[in-house]
Amino acid sequence: MAHPRDAEAPLLAKPDAASSPTPPAKRNKYPFFCAVLASMTSVLMGYNVAVMSGAQIFMAEDLGITDAQFEVLSGVINIYSLVGALLAGWTSDRLGRRLTIVLANAFFLAGPLAMALAGGYTTLMVGRFVAGVGNGYALVIAPVYAAEIAPASSRGLLTSLPEIFINSGVMLSYVSNLAFSGLPVHLSWRVMFAAGAVPTVFLAAGVLTMPESPRWLAMKGRVAEAKAVLDKTSDTAVEAEQRLLEIEDVVNAGASGGGAWTELATKAGVRRVLAIVLTLQFFQQSSGIDSVVLYGPRVLAMAGVTSNTLLLSLNVLFGVAKAGSILIAMSLADRAGRRPLLLASTGGMAASLLVLGTLFAAFAGARDDATVAAASFAAVVAFVVAFSVGLGPLAWVYSSEILPLRLRGQGAGLGTAMNRIMSGVVTMTFISLYQGITMAGAFYLYAAIAAASFVFVYVCLPETRGRSLEDMEELFHTK
């Protein structure tokens, strides 16, 4: 992978006027509406992953679930999501982006209901599997649809939406944990899971009112329909015409070439793009964000907080900080650019994790020490904020926009598979990891991985702000 300051630096660092047009004074709001509706499915994904964080306190008392079983239940949903992620490319290329989103909602209806009615560990695993398949579909299709419906002027904003909705779902799951914690033990955790199934029917109905992706329509030869959608989702009529010409050019080039896997084997540019996508997704999860998302109360308990109500309340504050800070990334992605935000994010993650590890190393075993608990809480908040202003949303933004159209479904599926594998590995090993190398050692390890991600962004990622999706093919030599 080339350094951004190599021989191609003038092209990468300073796009010409043709490829980086000045945004019009008044942007089209219709694609924002479409992207919001598509991305709301991601709320359910975040909710289903994180609701286990607080529910496990009550499940242990009601069903006698052990730490080892919780470690599996918490992380296995990410492994199960591989099924949906790997099928999403095939499904979205055949059924369309819209119907694939509807399918994800169907899984989000069945999975949580199975969890809520579970009488033991086996049924809980079945429910996690069904919800996990829905997670895989949602992770792939929401950013792909947003990227394909958005004009270049707002693509960074719109492709950030799935991430903010995922984190909104995480926050809502923490609120649910706190709100239903006062119910009888045998009901509390069941209501927490069941609440996640309520919005699915309404979301699925709403998605059917959206237009289909213009790029998918063009791939199917429905050019007139694609033109109609582009007219509605572009900032100007000239831009709509230009987007259609670029899409047709890419579709025709893909039709005359080999299949997606043939291109992967024969084109260095395609291999480079896929390597970037996979590496970004690896670093996004391996730096430990889901350990905090799923085990936040446990981390704070080991930092000295002893009240269950306080633990769940602080967890809500984690969720608010994580979801709220993504607004910064959304507002700056199309202004400051992807690269500066990614560098600030990965650097901040490494620093906050180093501080957190040092607090555990220096004050291990402290109980009811308000100062240590407050400092640990602040370090965790700093970590989730740093993650959410850059690497969290922009790994998906960057991955979605650099993949060429003809490979986007398959490439996004592989990237999501990497993301979910690493999330599963992290969450299914966290308890064993800190028991083996101490909590301080676990966070030092995550800090080292975050530092490595900073180096990767600095050395390997060019700026993509303001470029059309089709122009990415010139930038990364994937035509």
mmCIF file of all heavy atoms in Angstrom, residues 89 93 97 144 148 219 250 254 258-264 267 269-271 273-274 399 402-414 473 478:
data_model
loop_
_atom_site.group_PDB
_atom_site.id
_atom_site.type_symbol
_atom_site.label_atom_id
_atom_site.label_comp_id
_atom_site.label_asym_id
_atom_site.label_seq_id
_atom_site.Cartn_x
_atom_site.Cartn_y
_atom_site.Cartn_z
ATOM 1 N N GLY A 89 -24.563 -9.554 0.338
ATOM 2 C CA GLY A 89 -24.141 -9.143 -0.998
ATOM 3 C C GLY A 89 -24.958 -9.841 -2.070
ATOM 4 O O GLY A 89 -25.466 -9.209 -3.013
ATOM 5 N N ASP A 93 -27.883 -7.914 -4.323
ATOM 6 C CA ASP A 93 -27.691 -7.846 -5.771
ATOM 7 C C ASP A 93 -28.852 -8.471 -6.527
ATOM 8 O O ASP A 93 -29.080 -8.145 -7.696
ATOM 9 C CB ASP A 93 -26.380 -8.550 -6.164
ATOM 10 C CG ASP A 93 -25.155 -7.702 -5.860
ATOM 11 O OD1 ASP A 93 -25.335 -6.497 -5.559
ATOM 12 O OD2 ASP A 93 -24.035 -8.232 -5.905
ATOM 13 N N ARG A 97 -31.609 -3.490 -2.774
ATOM 14 C CA ARG A 97 -31.188 -3.000 -1.461
ATOM 15 C C ARG A 97 -32.393 -2.872 -0.519
ATOM 16 O O ARG A 97 -32.300 -3.160 0.673
ATOM 17 C CB ARG A 97 -30.523 -1.634 -1.575
ATOM 18 C CG ARG A 97 -29.389 -1.434 -2.583
ATOM 19 C CD ARG A 97 -28.479 -2.563 -2.873
ATOM 20 N NE ARG A 97 -27.287 -2.121 -3.610
ATOM 21 C CZ ARG A 97 -26.507 -2.906 -4.305
ATOM 22 N NH1 ARG A 97 -26.793 -4.212 -4.398
ATOM 23 N NH2 ARG A 97 -25.442 -2.430 -4.915
ATOM 24 N N VAL A 144 -24.322 0.652 2.478
ATOM 25 C CA VAL A 144 -24.284 0.539 1.021
ATOM 26 C C VAL A 144 -25.416 1.356 0.401
ATOM 27 O O VAL A 144 -25.207 2.119 -0.550
ATOM 28 C CB VAL A 144 -24.365 -0.940 0.580
ATOM 29 C CG1 VAL A 144 -24.667 -1.047 -0.914
ATOM 30 C CG2 VAL A 144 -23.052 -1.642 0.895
ATOM 31 N N GLU A 148 -25.025 4.769 -1.953
ATOM 32 C CA GLU A 148 -25.498 4.747 -3.328
ATOM 33 C C GLU A 148 -26.618 5.742 -3.595
ATOM 34 O O GLU A 148 -26.846 6.133 -4.733
ATOM 35 C CB GLU A 148 -25.950 3.329 -3.697
ATOM 36 C CG GLU A 148 -24.803 2.353 -3.724
ATOM 37 C CD GLU A 148 -25.189 0.953 -4.167
ATOM 38 O OE1 GLU A 148 -26.397 0.654 -4.214
ATOM 39 O OE2 GLU A 148 -24.268 0.164 -4.462
ATOM 40 N N MET A 219 -27.648 -1.507 -12.642
ATOM 41 C CA MET A 219 -27.061 -2.841 -12.791
ATOM 42 C C MET A 219 -28.055 -3.821 -13.399
ATOM 43 O O MET A 219 -27.666 -4.759 -14.100
ATOM 44 C CB MET A 219 -26.600 -3.371 -11.428
ATOM 45 C CG MET A 219 -25.342 -2.713 -10.887
ATOM 46 S SD MET A 219 -24.997 -3.209 -9.172
ATOM 47 C CE MET A 219 -24.722 -4.961 -9.376
ATOM 48 N N VAL A 250 -19.438 2.552 -15.265
ATOM 49 C CA VAL A 250 -18.919 1.512 -14.372
ATOM 50 C C VAL A 250 -19.656 0.192 -14.589
ATOM 51 O O VAL A 250 -19.057 -0.886 -14.607
ATOM 52 C CB VAL A 250 -19.027 1.966 -12.901
ATOM 53 C CG1 VAL A 250 -18.666 0.833 -11.962
ATOM 54 C CG2 VAL A 250 -18.123 3.161 -12.649
ATOM 55 N N GLY A 254 -18.019 -3.259 -15.819
ATOM 56 C CA GLY A 254 -18.152 -4.492 -15.053
ATOM 57 C C GLY A 254 -18.731 -5.614 -15.873
ATOM 58 O O GLY A 254 -18.330 -6.777 -15.747
ATOM 59 N N GLY A 258 -14.543 -9.680 -16.025
ATOM 60 C CA GLY A 258 -14.855 -10.968 -15.422
ATOM 61 C C GLY A 258 -15.708 -10.793 -14.195
ATOM 62 O O GLY A 258 -16.215 -9.722 -13.895
ATOM 63 N N GLY A 259 -15.897 -11.852 -13.457
ATOM 64 C CA GLY A 259 -16.668 -11.784 -12.232
ATOM 65 C C GLY A 259 -15.892 -11.100 -11.136
ATOM 66 O O GLY A 259 -14.711 -10.772 -11.276
ATOM 67 N N ALA A 260 -16.597 -10.882 -9.994
ATOM 68 C CA ALA A 260 -15.980 -10.166 -8.887
ATOM 69 C C ALA A 260 -14.723 -10.877 -8.388
ATOM 70 O O ALA A 260 -13.696 -10.255 -8.148
ATOM 71 C CB ALA A 260 -16.996 -10.023 -7.749
ATOM 72 N N TRP A 261 -14.789 -12.196 -8.260
ATOM 73 C CA TRP A 261 -13.643 -12.925 -7.711
ATOM 74 C C TRP A 261 -12.511 -13.002 -8.729
ATOM 75 O O TRP A 261 -11.339 -13.034 -8.349
ATOM 76 C CB TRP A 261 -14.080 -14.314 -7.284
ATOM 77 C CG TRP A 261 -15.205 -14.249 -6.291
ATOM 78 C CD1 TRP A 261 -16.477 -14.690 -6.458
ATOM 79 C CD2 TRP A 261 -15.168 -13.653 -4.991
ATOM 80 N NE1 TRP A 261 -17.240 -14.415 -5.346
ATOM 81 C CE2 TRP A 261 -16.472 -13.786 -4.435
ATOM 82 C CE3 TRP A 261 -14.174 -13.022 -4.238
ATOM 83 C CZ2 TRP A 261 -16.789 -13.311 -3.170
ATOM 84 C CZ3 TRP A 261 -14.493 -12.554 -2.969
ATOM 85 C CH2 TRP A 261 -15.774 -12.700 -2.452
ATOM 86 N N THR A 262 -12.845 -12.995 -10.029
ATOM 87 C CA THR A 262 -11.797 -12.945 -11.050
ATOM 88 C C THR A 262 -11.031 -11.645 -10.964
ATOM 89 O O THR A 262 -9.794 -11.615 -11.062
ATOM 90 C CB THR A 262 -12.418 -13.099 -12.452
ATOM 91 O OG1 THR A 262 -13.113 -14.338 -12.516
ATOM 92 C CG2 THR A 262 -11.336 -13.054 -13.523
ATOM 93 N N GLU A 263 -11.775 -10.536 -10.777
ATOM 94 C CA GLU A 263 -11.114 -9.242 -10.650
ATOM 95 C C GLU A 263 -10.229 -9.207 -9.412
ATOM 96 O O GLU A 263 -9.140 -8.625 -9.434
ATOM 97 C CB GLU A 263 -12.157 -8.128 -10.561
ATOM 98 C CG GLU A 263 -12.860 -7.833 -11.868
ATOM 99 C CD GLU A 263 -13.469 -6.444 -11.861
ATOM 100 O OE1 GLU A 263 -12.728 -5.475 -11.573
ATOM 101 O OE2 GLU A 263 -14.662 -6.334 -12.135
ATOM 102 N N LEU A 264 -10.691 -9.784 -8.342
ATOM 103 C CA LEU A 264 -9.903 -9.809 -7.120
ATOM 104 C C LEU A 264 -8.581 -10.531 -7.343
ATOM 105 O O LEU A 264 -7.542 -10.130 -6.826
ATOM 106 C CB LEU A 264 -10.697 -10.485 -6.005
ATOM 107 C CG LEU A 264 -10.007 -10.616 -4.645
ATOM 108 C CD1 LEU A 264 -9.648 -9.238 -4.098
ATOM 109 C CD2 LEU A 264 -10.885 -11.366 -3.666
ATOM 110 N N LYS A 267 -6.543 -8.104 -10.486
ATOM 111 C CA LYS A 267 -6.318 -6.661 -10.466
ATOM 112 C C LYS A 267 -5.720 -6.221 -9.133
ATOM 113 O O LYS A 267 -6.337 -6.385 -8.078
ATOM 114 C CB LYS A 267 -7.628 -5.911 -10.721
ATOM 115 C CG LYS A 267 -8.134 -6.058 -12.150
ATOM 116 C CD LYS A 267 -9.281 -5.101 -12.415
ATOM 117 C CE LYS A 267 -9.712 -5.174 -13.878
ATOM 118 N NZ LYS A 267 -10.815 -4.229 -14.159
ATOM 119 N N GLY A 269 -5.253 -3.181 -8.038
ATOM 120 C CA GLY A 269 -6.022 -2.106 -7.416
ATOM 121 C C GLY A 269 -7.185 -2.637 -6.612
ATOM 122 O O GLY A 269 -7.475 -2.140 -5.519
ATOM 123 N N VAL A 270 -7.860 -3.653 -7.131
ATOM 124 C CA VAL A 270 -8.989 -4.249 -6.421
ATOM 125 C C VAL A 270 -8.497 -4.932 -5.144
ATOM 126 O O VAL A 270 -9.122 -4.816 -4.082
ATOM 127 C CB VAL A 270 -9.731 -5.250 -7.323
ATOM 128 C CG1 VAL A 270 -10.790 -6.016 -6.538
ATOM 129 C CG2 VAL A 270 -10.377 -4.532 -8.503
ATOM 130 N N ARG A 271 -7.384 -5.636 -5.230
ATOM 131 C CA ARG A 271 -6.834 -6.288 -4.035
ATOM 132 C C ARG A 271 -6.432 -5.259 -2.984
ATOM 133 O O ARG A 271 -6.628 -5.464 -1.797
ATOM 134 C CB ARG A 271 -5.633 -7.159 -4.414
ATOM 135 C CG ARG A 271 -5.989 -8.387 -5.233
ATOM 136 C CD ARG A 271 -4.864 -9.401 -5.223
ATOM 137 N NE ARG A 271 -3.653 -8.878 -5.821
ATOM 138 C CZ ARG A 271 -3.363 -8.952 -7.129
ATOM 139 N NH1 ARG A 271 -4.214 -9.517 -7.964
ATOM 140 N NH2 ARG A 271 -2.241 -8.467 -7.587
ATOM 141 N N VAL A 273 -7.769 -2.243 -2.497
ATOM 142 C CA VAL A 273 -8.988 -1.707 -1.884
ATOM 143 C C VAL A 273 -9.555 -2.698 -0.880
ATOM 144 O O VAL A 273 -9.930 -2.329 0.237
ATOM 145 C CB VAL A 273 -10.029 -1.364 -2.972
ATOM 146 C CG1 VAL A 273 -11.414 -1.176 -2.348
ATOM 147 C CG2 VAL A 273 -9.617 -0.104 -3.709
ATOM 148 N N LEU A 274 -9.626 -3.962 -1.253
ATOM 149 C CA LEU A 274 -10.169 -4.961 -0.336
ATOM 150 C C LEU A 274 -9.292 -5.091 0.905
ATOM 151 O O LEU A 274 -9.799 -5.237 2.027
ATOM 152 C CB LEU A 274 -10.295 -6.311 -1.038
ATOM 153 C CG LEU A 274 -10.955 -7.413 -0.210
ATOM 154 C CD1 LEU A 274 -12.372 -7.016 0.214
ATOM 155 C CD2 LEU A 274 -10.989 -8.728 -0.983
ATOM 156 N N SER A 399 -14.974 2.460 3.803
ATOM 157 C CA SER A 399 -15.112 1.160 3.139
ATOM 158 C C SER A 399 -16.183 1.198 2.063
ATOM 159 O O SER A 399 -15.994 0.652 0.962
ATOM 160 C CB SER A 399 -15.458 0.080 4.176
ATOM 161 O OG SER A 399 -14.422 -0.076 5.117
ATOM 162 N N ILE A 402 -14.945 3.460 -1.198
ATOM 163 C CA ILE A 402 -13.803 3.109 -2.041
ATOM 164 C C ILE A 402 -14.030 1.812 -2.818
ATOM 165 O O ILE A 402 -13.320 1.542 -3.789
ATOM 166 C CB ILE A 402 -12.494 2.993 -1.223
ATOM 167 C CG1 ILE A 402 -12.508 1.795 -0.287
ATOM 168 C CG2 ILE A 402 -12.217 4.279 -0.484
ATOM 169 C CD1 ILE A 402 -11.172 1.569 0.439
ATOM 170 N N LEU A 403 -15.015 1.005 -2.421
ATOM 171 C CA LEU A 403 -15.292 -0.225 -3.163
ATOM 172 C C LEU A 403 -15.964 0.112 -4.493
ATOM 173 O O LEU A 403 -16.942 0.863 -4.519
ATOM 174 C CB LEU A 403 -16.205 -1.145 -2.350
ATOM 175 C CG LEU A 403 -15.555 -1.883 -1.185
ATOM 176 C CD1 LEU A 403 -16.624 -2.434 -0.252
ATOM 177 C CD2 LEU A 403 -14.648 -2.999 -1.688
ATOM 178 N N PRO A 404 -15.483 -0.422 -5.617
ATOM 179 C CA PRO A 404 -16.147 -0.168 -6.898
ATOM 180 C C PRO A 404 -17.535 -0.790 -6.927
ATOM 181 O O PRO A 404 -17.803 -1.786 -6.252
ATOM 182 C CB PRO A 404 -15.209 -0.832 -7.916
ATOM 183 C CG PRO A 404 -14.419 -1.828 -7.141
ATOM 184 C CD PRO A 404 -14.301 -1.280 -5.747
ATOM 185 N N LEU A 405 -18.417 -0.194 -7.718
ATOM 186 C CA LEU A 405 -19.817 -0.599 -7.749
ATOM 187 C C LEU A 405 -20.001 -2.094 -7.958
ATOM 188 O O LEU A 405 -20.750 -2.749 -7.238
ATOM 189 C CB LEU A 405 -20.544 0.175 -8.860
ATOM 190 C CG LEU A 405 -21.952 -0.309 -9.220
ATOM 191 C CD1 LEU A 405 -22.892 -0.146 -8.046
ATOM 192 C CD2 LEU A 405 -22.476 0.435 -10.441
ATOM 193 N N ARG A 406 -19.296 -2.654 -8.939
ATOM 194 C CA ARG A 406 -19.533 -4.050 -9.310
ATOM 195 C C ARG A 406 -19.087 -5.021 -8.214
ATOM 196 O O ARG A 406 -19.438 -6.198 -8.238
ATOM 197 C CB ARG A 406 -18.820 -4.361 -10.622
ATOM 198 C CG ARG A 406 -17.312 -4.186 -10.539
ATOM 199 C CD ARG A 406 -16.641 -4.069 -11.903
ATOM 200 N NE ARG A 406 -15.204 -3.858 -11.787
ATOM 201 C CZ ARG A 406 -14.663 -2.657 -11.583
ATOM 202 N NH1 ARG A 406 -15.432 -1.590 -11.448
ATOM 203 N NH2 ARG A 406 -13.359 -2.520 -11.503
ATOM 204 N N LEU A 407 -18.289 -4.520 -7.262
ATOM 205 C CA LEU A 407 -17.791 -5.373 -6.181
ATOM 206 C C LEU A 407 -18.318 -4.938 -4.823
ATOM 207 O O LEU A 407 -17.934 -5.496 -3.804
ATOM 208 C CB LEU A 407 -16.252 -5.328 -6.144
ATOM 209 C CG LEU A 407 -15.511 -5.612 -7.448
ATOM 210 C CD1 LEU A 407 -14.023 -5.401 -7.263
ATOM 211 C CD2 LEU A 407 -15.795 -7.020 -7.915
ATOM 212 N N ARG A 408 -19.212 -3.935 -4.806
ATOM 213 C CA ARG A 408 -19.564 -3.329 -3.525
ATOM 214 C C ARG A 408 -20.315 -4.300 -2.617
ATOM 215 O O ARG A 408 -20.071 -4.343 -1.422
ATOM 216 C CB ARG A 408 -20.391 -2.053 -3.761
ATOM 217 C CG ARG A 408 -20.553 -1.217 -2.491
ATOM 218 C CD ARG A 408 -21.016 0.186 -2.817
ATOM 219 N NE ARG A 408 -20.011 0.882 -3.589
ATOM 220 C CZ ARG A 408 -20.281 1.659 -4.638
ATOM 221 N NH1 ARG A 408 -21.527 1.824 -5.033
ATOM 222 N NH2 ARG A 408 -19.317 2.269 -5.285
ATOM 223 N N GLY A 409 -21.239 -5.048 -3.168
ATOM 224 C CA GLY A 409 -21.986 -5.989 -2.334
ATOM 225 C C GLY A 409 -21.072 -7.035 -1.722
ATOM 226 O O GLY A 409 -21.081 -7.270 -0.508
ATOM 227 N N GLN A 410 -20.224 -7.645 -2.562
ATOM 228 C CA GLN A 410 -19.328 -8.694 -2.061
ATOM 229 C C GLN A 410 -18.262 -8.113 -1.126
ATOM 230 O O GLN A 410 -17.939 -8.692 -0.083
ATOM 231 C CB GLN A 410 -18.640 -9.404 -3.228
ATOM 232 C CG GLN A 410 -19.597 -10.167 -4.138
ATOM 233 C CD GLN A 410 -20.102 -9.303 -5.290
ATOM 234 O OE1 GLN A 410 -20.161 -8.078 -5.204
ATOM 235 N NE2 GLN A 410 -20.471 -9.960 -6.389
ATOM 236 N N GLY A 411 -17.701 -6.947 -1.512
ATOM 237 C CA GLY A 411 -16.653 -6.340 -0.694
ATOM 238 C C GLY A 411 -17.167 -5.896 0.659
ATOM 239 O O GLY A 411 -16.507 -6.088 1.687
ATOM 240 N N ALA A 412 -18.367 -5.291 0.667
ATOM 241 C CA ALA A 412 -18.958 -4.877 1.938
ATOM 242 C C ALA A 412 -19.251 -6.091 2.806
ATOM 243 O O ALA A 412 -19.097 -6.041 4.036
ATOM 244 C CB ALA A 412 -20.235 -4.071 1.685
ATOM 245 N N GLY A 413 -19.687 -7.190 2.192
ATOM 246 C CA GLY A 413 -19.940 -8.410 2.949
ATOM 247 C C GLY A 413 -18.675 -8.947 3.597
ATOM 248 O O GLY A 413 -18.681 -9.339 4.771
ATOM 249 N N LEU A 414 -17.558 -8.949 2.857
ATOM 250 C CA LEU A 414 -16.298 -9.439 3.418
ATOM 251 C C LEU A 414 -15.794 -8.518 4.530
ATOM 252 O O LEU A 414 -15.294 -8.986 5.561
ATOM 253 C CB LEU A 414 -15.247 -9.548 2.313
ATOM 254 C CG LEU A 414 -15.449 -10.686 1.306
ATOM 255 C CD1 LEU A 414 -14.445 -10.559 0.161
ATOM 256 C CD2 LEU A 414 -15.305 -12.042 1.988
ATOM 257 N N GLU A 473 -12.607 5.010 -8.490
ATOM 258 C CA GLU A 473 -11.989 3.974 -9.321
ATOM 259 C C GLU A 473 -10.700 4.476 -9.970
ATOM 260 O O GLU A 473 -9.779 3.697 -10.224
ATOM 261 C CB GLU A 473 -12.994 3.489 -10.364
ATOM 262 C CG GLU A 473 -14.265 2.951 -9.740
ATOM 263 C CD GLU A 473 -14.856 1.803 -10.510
ATOM 264 O OE1 GLU A 473 -14.161 1.257 -11.396
ATOM 265 O OE2 GLU A 473 -15.996 1.442 -10.216
ATOM 266 N N THR A 478 -8.996 0.891 -9.808
ATOM 267 C CA THR A 478 -9.823 -0.305 -9.836
ATOM 268 C C THR A 478 -10.692 -0.394 -11.090
ATOM 269 O O THR A 478 -11.573 -1.223 -11.175
ATOM 270 C CB THR A 478 -10.749 -0.340 -8.598
ATOM 271 O OG1 THR A 478 -11.524 0.868 -8.537
ATOM 272 C CG2 THR A 478 -9.932 -0.484 -7.332
#
